Amino acid sequence: MADTRKKAAALRYDTKKASAPRVVAKGKGKIAEQIIQVAREHKIPIKDDPQLVEVLSTLDLYQEIPPELYRAVAEILAFVYRMTKKVQ
């Protein structure tokens, strides 16, 4: 039986400190809800991508994303950039 609880993952990308984005939070159920709530409170754009969240949840916290996820994460970063520009 599939786990139907909501899942969330948060990424951070500091180009001065890392060569790739890192998973800085992940969870399901209430933890996922808290991650989403914190993002909303800080006006961080949220992108709903269940397949990517599923893969990101298998990574360790603070682990850089592997090269095979670069394209998918680049699309998320482009989305965040566009959303941030609209807000300013």
Side-chain angles (χ1 to χ4, degrees):
M1 185 171 191
D3 186 352
T4 58
R5 293 182 288 180
K6 179 178 221 72
K7 293 183 180 181
L11 297 171
R12 176 176 292 153
Y13 187 33
D14 183 342
T15 57
K16 294 177 181 126
K17 295 182 180 179
S19 58
R22 295 177 185 270
V23 175
V24 294
K26 64 180 184 170
K28 56 187 170 186
K30 291 212 178 276
I31 301 294
E33 291 170 15
Q34 289 176 337
I35 291 168
I36 293 166
Q37 182 61 36
V38 168
R40 286 186 177 129
E41 288 170 3
H42 293 278
K43 296 183 174 39
I44 297 168
I46 299 168
K47 176 81 167 123
D48 187 18
D49 188 333
Q51 291 176 320
L52 183 57
V53 169
E54 196 65 42
V55 175
L56 292 174
S57 346
T58 65
L59 302 176
D60 292 331
L61 284 177
Y62 303 104
Q63 178 180 348
E64 287 187 359
I65 62 162
E68 56 268 19
L69 293 181
Y70 285 1
R71 183 182 190 115
V73 171
E75 291 173 12
I76 299 298
L77 293 175
F79 165 81
V80 169
Y81 180 76
R82 286 190 305 272
M83 296 305 294
T84 303
K85 289 298 176 190
K86 286 181 184 177
V87 171
Q88 294 178 353

